[in-house]
């Protein structure tokens, strides 16, 4: 049967959430699916729960392996998938019942390679704390670079050797930018049927807070610029935006000295690679007003040489060592 969808779920210490996650996939109105749940060396009861779920449903494959990280786990899932299309769901998230049906209908209209949608973010009380809608614009594909809230044609991924980068930051950014560099047919849809659960203790909410020696953002960025088109204004703006995000998100828990050192290194990297920072952000259809203002304010701080003062006010990482 054609148009089979493989849903890849990497699982790590998700004993409190994995059953709800998989039940939401099994409850889909679109039934031609397989679920590949890969236990990545969990130290809690995840594998036992997965085995119980596996005995309950016929269309789920449970794989148990040593801990290797989410990138290697997802890459393994891609290789194992037998569907015509691939989706990713994180182990503490869940989806609306017509999520897959919505995406599969869209991708079949013009035989797209990728369909991209938005998401809702909920806290542990089920309250929606954010809704991320996307408009149909060229920029929108850069807004949500997680692998979820997307449907990929499997042959497109395999033919172009699209894999996740096994690194401590930006594995999903790398994956999608690599996919975009292969000139896929993309459809943006105004859908928020993926629920991203807000978990304070999740990897994505903890590993990037504070500047850590084992994470080098420029290693990731060097990998990215090896295949993207630097003549594309969207790419130039994305790289500037990503660096500003990293400075603000990770730098808040850094010391002032660490922040200023990273800022200096980022400016040198941008200049060395001739990354243009002159994109008129207010002309970007689909970009959010809050982000536009943030980028413009940060540009003004730079122009007025106020980065040191900003670091003194913004950074909460304690005193610098003398």
């Amino acid at each position: 049967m054609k148009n089979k969808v493989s849903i890849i779920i990497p699982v790590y210490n998700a004993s409190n959430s994995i059953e709800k996650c998989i039940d939401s996939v099994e409850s889909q109105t679109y039934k031609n699916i397989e679920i590949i749940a890969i236990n990545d060396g969990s130290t809690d009861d995840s594998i036992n729960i997965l085995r119980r779920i596996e005995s309950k449903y016929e269309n789920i494959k449970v794989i148990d392996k040593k801990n290797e990280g989410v990138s290697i786990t997802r890459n393994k899932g891609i290789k194992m998938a037998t569907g015509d299309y691939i989706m990713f769901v994180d182990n503490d998230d869940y989806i609306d019942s017509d999520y897959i049906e919505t995406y599969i209908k869209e991708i079949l209209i013009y035989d797209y390679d990728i369909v991209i949608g938005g998401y809702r973010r909920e806290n542990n009380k089920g309250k929606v704390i954010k809704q991320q809608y996307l408009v149909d614009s060229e920029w929108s594909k850069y807004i949500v670079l997680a692998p979820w809230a997307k449907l990929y044609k499997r042959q497109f991924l395999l033919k172009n050797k699209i894999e996740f980068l096994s690194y401590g930051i930006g594995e999903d950014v790398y994956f999608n930018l690599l996919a975009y560099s292969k000139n896929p047919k993309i459809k943006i849809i105004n859908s928020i049927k993926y629920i991203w659960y807000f978990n304070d203790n999740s990897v994505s909410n903890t590993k990037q807070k504070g500047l850590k020696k084992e994470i080098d953002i420029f290693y990731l960025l060097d990998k990215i610029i090896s295949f993207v088109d630097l003549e594309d204004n969207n790419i130039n703006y994305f790289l500037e935006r990503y660096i500003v995000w990293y400075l603000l998100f990770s730098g808040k828990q850094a010391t002032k000295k660490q922040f200023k050192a990273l800022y200096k290194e980022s400016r040198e990297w941008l200049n060395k690679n001739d990354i243009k920072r002159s994109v008129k952000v207010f002309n970007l259809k689909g970009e959010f007003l809050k982000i536009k203002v943030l980028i413009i304010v940060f540009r003004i701080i730079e122009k007025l040489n106020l980065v040191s003062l900003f670091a003194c006010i913004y950074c909460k990482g304690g005193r610098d060592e003398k």
Side-chain angles (χ1 to χ4, degrees), residues 85-88 99-118 134 136 140-141 144 146-154 156-157 176 179-180 184-191:
Y85 301 96
I86 286 176
M87 295 183 118
F88 297 94
Y99 172 74
I100 296 176
E101 183 176 5
T102 299
Y103 280 73
I104 199 74
K105 282 181 177 178
E106 292 287 346
I107 207 165
L108 293 175
I109 293 174
Y110 289 111
D111 191 28
Y112 292 109
D113 297 306
I114 308 173
V115 174
I116 304 171
L134 299 180
D136 191 3
S140 287
K141 67 185 181 184
V144 182
W148 39 255
K150 294 176 182 64
L151 178 64
Y152 303 89
K153 185 186 292 183
R154 183 170 69 95
F156 169 79
L157 297 180
N176 281 302
Y180 297 166
K185 290 190 290 184
I186 294 176
K187 174 66 175 176
I188 308 292
I189 60 174
N190 187 21
S191 170

Side-chain angles (χ1 to χ4, degrees), residues 219-261:
Y219 172 83
L220 168 67
L221 295 176
D222 283 338
K223 290 283 188 181
I224 289 172
I225 66 170
S226 70
F227 56 76
V228 296
D229 178 10
L230 292 179
E231 296 300 314
D232 184 341
N233 282 337
N234 284 325
I235 289 293
N236 279 264
Y237 173 67
F238 173 81
L239 293 168
E240 176 190 10
R241 183 186 194 261
Y242 193 76
I243 287 174
V244 171
W245 165 80
Y246 186 73
L247 278 165
L248 297 179
F249 185 76
S250 298
K252 188 166 188 176
Q253 301 304 321
T255 67
K256 302 171 189 64
K257 184 177 180 180
Q258 288 174 325
F259 184 94
K260 289 187 286 186

Side-chain angles (χ1 to χ4, degrees), residues 36-79:
I36 303 172
I38 306 176
N39 183 51
D40 186 34
S42 296
T43 57
D44 65 0
D45 201 35
S46 291
I47 186 59
N48 294 325
I49 295 172
L50 286 171
R51 292 301 185 200
R52 175 167 54 79
I53 295 172
E54 186 179 29
S55 67
K56 181 180 175 183
Y57 298 113
E58 295 182 353
N59 61 342
I60 182 170
K61 300 175 184 175
V62 172
I63 310 300
D64 188 26
K65 67 176 185 64
K66 66 179 181 179
N67 180 254
E68 296 174 294
V70 69
S71 295
I72 292 175
T73 303
R74 287 183 181 139
N75 289 338
K76 184 177 182 69
I78 293 171
K79 291 180 175 67

Side-chain angles (χ1 to χ4, degrees), residues 54-309:
E54 186 179 29
S55 67
K56 181 180 175 183
Y57 298 113
E58 295 182 353
N59 61 342
I60 182 170
K61 300 175 184 175
V62 172
I63 310 300
D64 188 26
K65 67 176 185 64
K66 66 179 181 179
N67 180 254
E68 296 174 294
V70 69
S71 295
I72 292 175
T73 303
R74 287 183 181 139
N75 289 338
K76 184 177 182 69
I78 293 171
K79 291 180 175 67
M80 291 182 60
T82 62
D84 303 285
Y85 301 96
I86 286 176
M87 295 183 118
F88 297 94
V89 177
D90 282 355
N91 61 197
D92 48 0
D93 298 341
Y94 53 100
I95 53 180
D96 287 345
S97 61
D98 59 344
Y99 172 74
I100 296 176
E101 183 176 5
T102 299
Y103 280 73
I104 199 74
K105 282 181 177 178
E106 292 287 346
I107 207 165
L108 293 175
I109 293 174
Y110 289 111
D111 191 28
Y112 292 109
D113 297 306
I114 308 173
V115 174
I116 304 171
Y119 62 87
R120 305 194 305 274
R121 194 151 202 200
E122 293 185 2
N123 61 19
N124 57 5
K125 296 180 181 178
K127 181 181 178 181
V128 176
I129 57 177
K130 183 176 182 180
Q131 295 189 107
Q132 185 81 77
Y133 289 96
L134 299 180
V135 301
D136 191 3
S137 73
E138 184 63 25
W139 170 250
S140 287
K141 67 185 181 184
Y142 297 101
I143 292 175
V144 182
L145 283 174
W148 39 255
K150 294 176 182 64
L151 178 64
Y152 303 89
K153 185 186 292 183
R154 183 170 69 95
Q155 282 305 316
F156 169 79
L157 297 180
L158 295 177
K159 178 183 177 182
N160 292 289
K161 299 180 180 178
I162 311 297
E163 292 190 335
F164 291 89
L165 179 69
S166 184
Y167 195 59
I169 184 177
E171 75 286 338
D172 44 6
V173 173
Y174 176 93
F175 180 85
N176 281 302
L177 291 184
L178 180 58
Y180 297 166
S181 74
K182 304 301 181 180
N183 298 313
K185 290 190 290 184
I186 294 176
K187 174 66 175 176
I188 308 292
I189 60 174
N190 187 21
S191 170
I192 55 166
K193 298 179 182 296
Y194 187 96
I195 296 89
W196 179 16
Y197 174 68
F198 182 78
N199 181 358
D200 283 327
N201 296 318
S202 72
V203 173
S204 61
N205 281 334
T206 57
K207 72 179 180 181
Q208 293 160 2
K209 287 186 176 179
L211 301 177
K212 299 177 174 60
K213 293 180 179 179
E214 65 271 19
I215 294 179
D216 180 3
I217 187 178
F218 304 106
Y219 172 83
L220 168 67
L221 295 176
D222 283 338
K223 290 283 188 181
I224 289 172
I225 66 170
S226 70
F227 56 76
V228 296
D229 178 10
L230 292 179
E231 296 300 314
D232 184 341
N233 282 337
N234 284 325
I235 289 293
N236 279 264
Y237 173 67
F238 173 81
L239 293 168
E240 176 190 10
R241 183 186 194 261
Y242 193 76
I243 287 174
V244 171
W245 165 80
Y246 186 73
L247 278 165
L248 297 179
F249 185 76
S250 298
K252 188 166 188 176
Q253 301 304 321
T255 67
K256 302 171 189 64
K257 184 177 180 180
Q258 288 174 325
F259 184 94
K260 289 187 286 186
L262 179 64
Y263 167 76
K264 180 182 178 182
E265 191 173 0
S266 71
R267 297 307 98 178
E268 291 172 349
W269 185 88
L270 288 165
N271 292 333
K272 178 183 70 174
N273 292 291
D274 195 27
I275 307 300
K276 302 175 184 65
R277 286 175 277 163
S278 56
V279 174
K280 296 179 180 179
V281 288
F282 276 105
N283 292 339
L284 280 173
K285 182 183 176 183
E287 180 64 294
F288 303 103
L289 179 61
K290 180 180 177 181
I291 303 297
K292 290 178 179 180
V293 171
L294 186 151
I295 295 297
I296 289 172
V297 169
F298 203 82
R299 286 177 178 178
I300 292 171
I301 289 172
E302 290 184 272
K303 191 172 183 179
L304 297 177
N305 294 317
L306 295 176
V307 173
S308 292
L309 177 61

